[in-house]
Amino acid sequence: MIDFQNAKYLKMKEDSALVPLVTPLLLQGERVIGAYRSMRDGVVFTDKRIIAVNVQGVTGKKKDFTSLPYSKIQAFSIETAGVLDLDSELELYFSGLGKVKFEFAAQSNLVQIQAVIAAYTL
């Protein structure tokens, strides 16, 4: 599993290239809402969970997929981009796991992401 205490996903941008990687992991009827990627790692938001993708090794063939179900989220916060601070942040607090932090490029639509999370957690 990804060590969320010592790593964070830096300035991810929307990128649908991750969708084929996680498609075999999806439940019947589960649908992808958005996919975001940094240099190698990424995160996919579905209507049931968040799937964090950690690409490992020199060749990148080895990948770790961590499923973070919305049902385990106790609290979350978003920080939108500003004038000088151009990145956005999403912090999630999971029971049994602790804080998970994702950073997004300024053009990412965190308001839409938080609306999905709120719909499934509140």
Side-chain angles (χ1 to χ4, degrees):
M1 177 157 57
I2 297 169
D3 181 7
F4 288 107
Q5 300 304 320
N6 295 317
K8 59 184 174 183
Y9 286 68
L10 298 174
K11 295 191 180 54
M12 295 183 290
K13 296 179 181 178
E14 197 160 0
D15 186 348
S16 61
L18 285 176
V19 176
L21 289 176
V22 301
T23 299
L25 305 174
L26 300 179
L27 300 171
Q28 184 175 352
E30 185 175 10
R31 61 182 179 84
V32 172
I33 294 167
Y36 297 84
R37 188 162 142 178
S38 62
M39 293 292 281
R40 291 170 46 125
D41 300 333
V43 63
V44 176
F45 293 88
T46 76
D47 57 349
K48 300 195 181 302
R49 60 186 159 159
I50 300 166
I51 302 172
V53 180
N54 181 13
V55 178
Q56 301 174 349
V58 176
T59 63
K61 290 197 180 274
K62 184 175 180 180
K63 295 170 185 63
D64 176 71
F65 299 94
T66 301
S67 179
L68 304 164
Y70 294 135
S71 63
K72 300 296 181 187
I73 296 175
Q74 294 179 320
F76 65 92
S77 70
I78 62 168
E79 180 181 297
T80 59
V83 175
L84 297 176
D85 185 10
L86 298 178
D87 58 325
S88 304
E89 296 176 0
L90 171 64
E91 290 184 353
L92 305 153
Y93 298 87
F94 288 88
S95 61
L97 180 63
K99 180 174 83 169
V100 174
K101 181 178 180 179
F102 299 111
E103 291 184 10
F104 297 88
Q107 66 271 20
S108 299
N109 191 355
L110 277 190
V111 174
Q112 177 190 15
I113 293 170
Q114 79 80 33
V116 171
I117 294 170
Y120 289 98
T121 60
L122 301 178

